[in-house]
Amino acid sequence: AEPARDYIALPPRNLETFMAHIVILGAGTGGMPAAYEMRATLPREHRVTMINALPDFQFVPSNPWVAVGWRERAQVSFPIRPHLEKKGIEFIAQRVQRIDAPANALELADGTRVAYDYLVITTGPKLAFDEVPGAGPDANTLSICTYDHAEHAWGRYQEFLKNPGPAVIGAMPGASCFGPAYEFAFIFNKDLQRRKLRHKVPLTFVTSEPYIGHLGLGGVGDSKSMLESELRGIDAKWITNAKVTRVEPGRMFVTELDDAGQVKKEHELPFAYSMMLPAFKGVDAVAQVEGLCNPRGFVLIDEYQRSKKYKNIFSAGVCVAIPPVEATPVPTGAPKTGYMIETMVSAIVHNIAAELKGEAADTKATWNAICLADMGDTGAAFVALPQIPPRNVNWFKKGKWVHLAKIAFEKYFIRKMKTGSSEPIYEKVVMKALGIERLEAPR
């Protein structure tokens, strides 16, 4: 942790009469649980406010299903306000234009200024499609990173089904979230099989990972051989160490590097349909705060999820800065999986609660990776404890039970977000399904 003198500190206050305003920025799979847990933990005299650019919650893990028509908006999205207000949490549906961190205030799109005592940043990422010319849903490739992107991909997929052709699926240079790319490749394959069209669609998986199953984690258990086997089983080709340099209508240009980072081969891939996950950056309002973020706009935090410069700013989820597990020929990032985000959120709540009692922050997140990945009618689960090797648990398994567990997880999590439950979902559902004992966040 940084020495206290290096922080921009809070103004003096009387803890016996102080009423804090905690603002949570971003209502995703980290922000919504943070709001509920904060409200359940803190005394009622403290205000909790959620600010989100959109009025609806979106369950992002379901987006691969949305893109092939297996889910609709009403199944994976709902209005935020009524559910938060039932729990006594204020809600503002506006984009934040600027964070005035030294003054402890946010400036909203309509010019409103919102003061805070504590700010919790859970915005998720900015999607860096612009780093590859011609990439993105406004250009030549599709995305499943947001519901709107996945819905757009579903529209394009319906057109594609009328005249099938080659497909390219994967992840761009600098990507860190590889699981959904694999998920979508297998779901795409399964849906085409059900439509009896798979034989008309040559499929290539293109990824910046140094090998199949790296996942931004240096591999987990037998992920390399297992995922290679699964890709072979669906007749998919793949290119690893792939640096996509540009995308034109119906053509993707890829430089394949060797393990030393030298050019191995140049590829020009034709496609009639392509979904490529982008690299992530920090959202503009967060990235522009002096001293808050690294050069890519991710929040620099100490071991207590607290900003290294601003003592009253905490952050969790995809928007925090985590170094890559290892250097790779084509840049890759480390993923922030659900269990890790859940423990980040709990650590933040406990640490803010402690400070409001006049105590020191002492709770740390458990940076472990636990993931359920759907593969259409089966699935793969992996556990990396801790995320960075060497590990105490290094486990990767496949089975139909994972597909069923992912469906159960979706329904349970959405129900939890509607009812305002603050119980840890990974400890209650996912870890139980995987047969893993409860893991306490270290103090």
Side-chain angles (χ1 to χ4, degrees):
E2 297 289 316
R5 63 178 179 276
D6 291 344
Y7 287 112
I8 292 179
L10 289 170
R13 64 201 188 197
N14 183 340
L15 293 175
E16 293 183 1
T17 60
F18 178 65
M19 293 181 289
H21 185 204
I22 298 92
V23 173
I24 299 165
L25 180 55
T29 52
M32 286 284 281
Y36 287 134
E37 190 170 347
M38 197 77 71
R39 182 69 286 162
T41 302
L42 299 184
R44 301 298 292 187
E45 61 264 25
H46 301 300
R47 290 172 60 201
V48 178
T49 299
M50 166 72 75
I51 300 179
N52 193 57
L54 301 174
D56 297 329
F57 172 80
Q58 301 175 3
F59 187 63
V60 172
S62 293
N63 287 348
W65 293 333
V66 172
V68 294
W70 294 3
R71 292 290 188 279
E72 296 180 353
R73 184 180 294 269
Q75 296 173 287
V76 297
S77 179
F78 59 85
I80 294 170
R81 184 180 304 279
H83 301 285
L84 290 185
E85 289 184 345
K86 285 180 182 177
K87 293 292 183 178
I89 301 166
E90 299 171 44
F91 178 62
I92 300 173
Q94 275 203 61
R95 186 176 301 279
V96 172
Q97 293 291 95
R98 177 172 174 264
I99 300 174
D100 186 353
N104 303 317
L106 305 174
E107 295 178 5
L108 307 185
D110 68 352
T112 301
R113 191 171 172 89
V114 178
Y116 62 82
D117 296 293
Y118 287 94
L119 177 63
V120 180
I121 299 174
T122 56
T123 56
K126 177 181 179 179
L127 307 174
F129 295 113
D130 61 314
E131 295 184 343
V132 177
D138 293 331
N140 302 307
T141 62
L142 299 165
S143 163
I144 53 171
C145 294
T146 70
Y147 181 88
D148 287 345
H149 287 175
E151 191 173 54
H152 175 62
W154 165 231
R156 291 283 296 274
Y157 183 59
Q158 292 175 84
E159 297 173 10
F160 167 78
L161 293 172
K162 299 173 185 176
N163 187 25
V168 178
I169 294 171
M172 294 291 191
S176 57
C177 191
F178 296 98
Y182 285 101
E183 279 192 300
F184 187 69
F186 290 112
I187 291 168
F188 180 81
N189 166 79
K190 179 53 61 177
D191 191 74
L192 288 172
Q193 286 180 336
R194 291 174 179 174
R195 297 175 187 272
K196 301 190 184 329
L197 292 173
R198 180 64 181 87
H199 65 289
K200 295 184 177 182
V201 183
L203 175 60
T204 305
F205 191 80
V206 174
T207 177
S208 51
E209 300 163 276
Y211 52 84
I212 292 297
H214 180 275
L215 301 169
L217 295 167
V220 181
D222 201 24
S223 59
K224 180 179 186 294
S225 62
M226 187 175 292
L227 285 173
E228 283 182 350
S229 176
E230 291 300 316
L231 288 173
R232 280 191 291 267
I234 64 170
D235 297 313
K237 300 183 185 302
W238 62 79
I239 302 171
T240 55
N241 278 332
K243 182 179 180 181
V244 180
T245 56
R246 74 182 192 278
V247 187
E248 297 178 357
R251 292 194 303 170
M252 184 178 296
F253 296 85
V254 180
T255 300
E256 181 183 359
L257 305 184
D258 62 20
D259 291 341
Q262 301 301 309
V263 175
K264 179 179 178 181
K265 187 176 181 180
E266 298 286 355
H267 300 265
E268 182 178 332
L269 303 177
F271 65 85
Y273 188 96
S274 177
M275 195 295 295
M276 296 290 292
L277 297 180
F280 292 162
K281 297 174 70 175
V283 301
D284 292 342
V286 176
Q288 292 165 2
V289 179
E290 183 181 356
L292 181 64
C293 301
N294 69 9
R296 287 194 65 82
F298 295 115
V299 180
L300 296 164
I301 55 172
D302 66 14
E303 58 188 333
Y304 305 114
Q305 302 297 133
R306 182 172 50 192
S307 163
K308 291 188 175 183
K309 183 172 183 179
Y310 302 96
K311 190 174 183 180
N312 60 335
I313 296 180
F314 291 76
S315 187
V318 178
C319 57
V320 303
I322 297 179
V325 170
E326 60 186 2
T328 52
V330 180
T332 58
K336 291 95 171 182
T337 59
Y339 178 68
M340 182 191 300
I341 294 172
E342 181 176 275
T343 65
M344 288 182 187
V345 165
S346 291
I348 290 172
V349 172
H350 284 114
N351 288 332
I352 290 177
E355 290 195 3
L356 290 173
K357 295 176 184 176
E359 301 169 359
D362 65 350
T363 304
K364 305 174 188 177
T366 302
W367 283 23
N368 298 318
I370 301 174
C371 184
L372 300 175
D374 184 55
M375 298 168 72
D377 59 355
T378 183
F382 69 78
V383 181
L385 313 178
Q387 175 169 283
I388 299 174
R391 299 174 175 130
N392 295 317
V393 178
N394 198 35
W395 183 87
F396 191 98
K397 297 291 182 183
K398 172 183 171 285
K400 187 174 181 64
W401 64 271
V402 183
H403 171 72
L404 299 174
K406 183 71 179 278
I407 294 171
F409 174 76
E410 172 200 55
K411 297 187 182 309
Y412 183 85
F413 192 94
I414 291 173
R415 181 177 178 275
K416 171 181 170 174
M417 293 303 97
K418 287 181 175 180
T419 60
S421 169
S422 61
E423 64 184 354
I425 187 170
Y426 275 81
E427 290 188 353
K428 180 177 179 65
V429 178
V430 179
M431 295 176 69
K432 181 178 180 180
L434 300 180
I436 301 170
E437 293 183 1
R438 176 184 171 90
L439 293 173
E440 295 285 353
R443 292 182 179 269

